[in-house]
Amino acid sequence: MKKHIILLTIIFQACGGGSGGGEGNKASGSTFIANNALDNSAPIITPPSGAIKTNEGSTVVTTIVAMDPNHDVPLTYKLEGNATSATDHALFDISSSGVITYKTAPVYIAKNSYSITTVVSDQFTSTKQDINIAVDIPSFAWIASSPVAEGMDATKLQAAIDYTFNDNFNTQGLIIIRKGKVVTEKYEGISDSSITGLKAIFNTSGTYSAGGFGTGWDDAKYETEFGVRNESSIGISNSGAKTILSSLIGIAVDNGAISSLDNKVSQYITSWVGTTKEDITLKDVITMRSGLYIQPDSAGLLGGMSLYYESDELAVSLARGLNESPPENKWAYIGMADSLILGEVLRIATGKNALEYGKDNLFTKMGLSNYDWWRDSAGNVLVWGNFDSTLRDYAKFGLLWAHDVGLEDTYGANVIGNGKWEGEQLVPSTWLAAAREPAVVTSGTGFADYIFYGYHMYKATKLVSPSTLDDKELTVDVFSAKGFADNSIWWIPEYDLVVARHSLYTAILNDGNEKVVKGDISDNPALTNKDSSNYMAGLNNGNYATISSGYAFYAGYNNLETLNDEHMLMKIIESID
């Protein structure tokens, strides 16, 4: 009987009668090994393959994967500091099953990387594993602030806003951004005084007898087309789109589709080989020094050059000869034709037109929500201007291009700006640095000796408010994508500013619903064509009711008071404490 009792005792111990559960003891054949400190194997942690990615606003981090080779006791978990950070672990909790969570959901701009150590223990030993945790860059979101919070005098800033929204200036929208935060966003429809001025211009039986797209429009029609405006309203870039085109060219250079700006245009436009245009380079064209014939203005009330009414604007642009009397520095602002050539080079080099290439490489990644780029009847994207978007989406380009304007204070380092969007380098920073550097001064060509031109991008070295306003000057670098009628984007690093503006605009589509220019509506042809044509109806940044006599687009506006963008910008800067 005694032998039987001993046998039962051995069996009981082998099944786990000692400390811990019997589940963890090992048996090999008929040999049983009782667990103890000498025989114990340390817990095993499966390390993560890299930094654990987490999302802003979520407390979820990860679950530690660990196992006990002995299978004899439940494992315990805790967190502690390490050589990288002695304190990060205090921001996290870990459960009894190894689930790690933030105590408070993270905010990317506040802190976006952590290093902690997980300690997993059984009853005898512990295993440690360093873990790095990163907060993913959040999707872009507009952040609003007050002028006072961003170091601006609210009263002085309001004076700048009031000036910009003078009833005579047809401002549809204005966004002012300081250190990445919106301190002003305002929209307005057409004023009664502006309607009066337009009706006077388009009244064929009146003083001016010019004809044009507004012929026959009454007050109700103007209100329908240019009435209430808000953040969803579409505006037009005019020539500000040239700077968007510049960025697309920069992307194509960066990815090798275009090997160099020193390439000859004739490498792509082979019909130029053997002609006087054979040696013109891409850099010549993008800096407005192609030496090509300057397309003449026409008197169309839309301000369109004669090229505007061509069904194939590219063909006419390519067929031009050289300018017989080029300026000494070769710089001549060619509003349409030269940019169309760049757009065609982009299409040939990448296999996609500017709208397609932009969608794939820029617009979708920037989260543009409602945009389009006008085409002509031949399908050419009219890259010399004509980029339709909301003002918010237009202003995004300013944030993308801007450098050293305090964006890191709002979005984090290397997240937005200098070609980056949500941390991804969309436009090479080296391209933007070259694009904004002065290639040539614009003086003697309708501009000023302090305004310079780079790669379809402007740089001014000061702001000048004329004597008719307050006769002031301010030395400051101002970079811009300039569009006619101040449909422009400006960024001013010294004052952490990005400003964007749209003039009142509507797309008139009488033939289909696509933004394709159709029909000649210049002057008197508008009387018969305007109601069957497609065109961009953008209002000038001035009121025609103030004209004393005559009308000529791109020429002297007799007594036409227009918005002065340099005065506007100076007043915004003066509001900064």
Side-chain angles (χ1 to χ4, degrees), residues 255-287:
N255 65 27
I258 297 173
S259 59
S260 171
L261 284 186
D262 293 324
N263 290 351
K264 296 177 181 179
V265 175
S266 57
Q267 177 178 328
Y268 308 90
I269 311 295
T270 55
S271 61
W272 281 16
V273 174
T275 72
T276 56
K277 299 178 284 189
E278 181 176 5
D279 293 331
I280 296 173
T281 67
L282 297 179
K283 185 175 289 186
D284 291 334
V285 178
I286 204 168
T287 58

Side-chain angles (χ1 to χ4, degrees), residues 180-199:
K181 297 179 181 178
V182 177
V183 295
T184 292
E185 182 176 12
K186 182 177 179 179
Y187 301 90
E188 273 190 4
I190 194 167
S191 67
D192 291 342
S193 62
S194 186
I195 291 175
T196 299
L198 288 164
K199 287 172 68 178

Side-chain angles (χ1 to χ4, degrees), residues 48-218:
S49 59
I52 295 170
K53 300 291 187 179
T54 61
N55 295 320
E56 182 180 72
S58 172
T59 59
V60 175
V61 180
T62 191
T63 298
I64 296 300
V65 178
M67 58 89 66
D68 176 17
N70 309 292
H71 300 289
D72 59 349
V73 295
L75 297 175
T76 61
Y77 300 84
K78 72 174 185 177
L79 302 175
E80 64 181 33
N82 55 35
T84 302
S85 172
T87 59
D88 281 357
H89 71 284
L91 302 173
F92 298 83
D93 285 324
I94 189 166
S95 73
S96 59
S97 57
V99 178
I100 299 177
T101 55
Y102 290 99
K103 290 181 177 178
T104 302
V107 176
Y108 180 87
I109 185 64
K111 185 173 175 63
N112 49 60
S113 63
Y114 306 83
S115 184
I116 62 177
T117 294
T118 299
V119 183
V120 181
S121 305
D122 61 14
Q123 77 273 41
F124 294 118
T125 57
S126 299
T127 301
K128 297 183 178 183
Q129 177 66 53
D130 289 345
I131 295 176
N132 295 315
I133 301 168
V135 182
D136 274 343
I137 295 171
S139 298
F140 174 84
W142 290 103
I143 299 174
S145 185
S146 68
V148 173
E150 302 312 315
M152 305 176 82
D153 183 295
T155 301
K156 291 180 179 179
L157 182 60
Q158 189 60 50
I161 297 167
D162 291 344
Y163 170 75
T164 307
F165 280 91
N166 180 310
D167 282 352
N168 288 332
F169 296 160
N170 293 316
T171 298
Q172 174 169 292
L174 176 72
I175 289 181
I176 301 173
I177 302 165
R178 184 146 202 260
K179 296 182 179 179
K181 297 179 181 178
V182 177
V183 295
T184 292
E185 182 176 12
K186 182 177 179 179
Y187 301 90
E188 273 190 4
I190 194 167
S191 67
D192 291 342
S193 62
S194 186
I195 291 175
T196 299
L198 288 164
K199 287 172 68 178
I201 285 295
F202 291 130
N203 180 5
T204 55
S205 62
T207 305
Y208 310 112
S209 302
F213 72 85
T215 304
W217 285 16
D218 57 15

Side-chain angles (χ1 to χ4, degrees), residues 250 503 514 573:
S503 277
E514 293 189 356
I573 289 171

Side-chain angles (χ1 to χ4, degrees), residues 381-393:
V381 179
L382 302 182
V383 292
W384 49 267
N386 318 306
F387 187 85
D388 282 10
S389 70
T390 64
L391 184 59
R392 285 189 171 195
D393 280 351

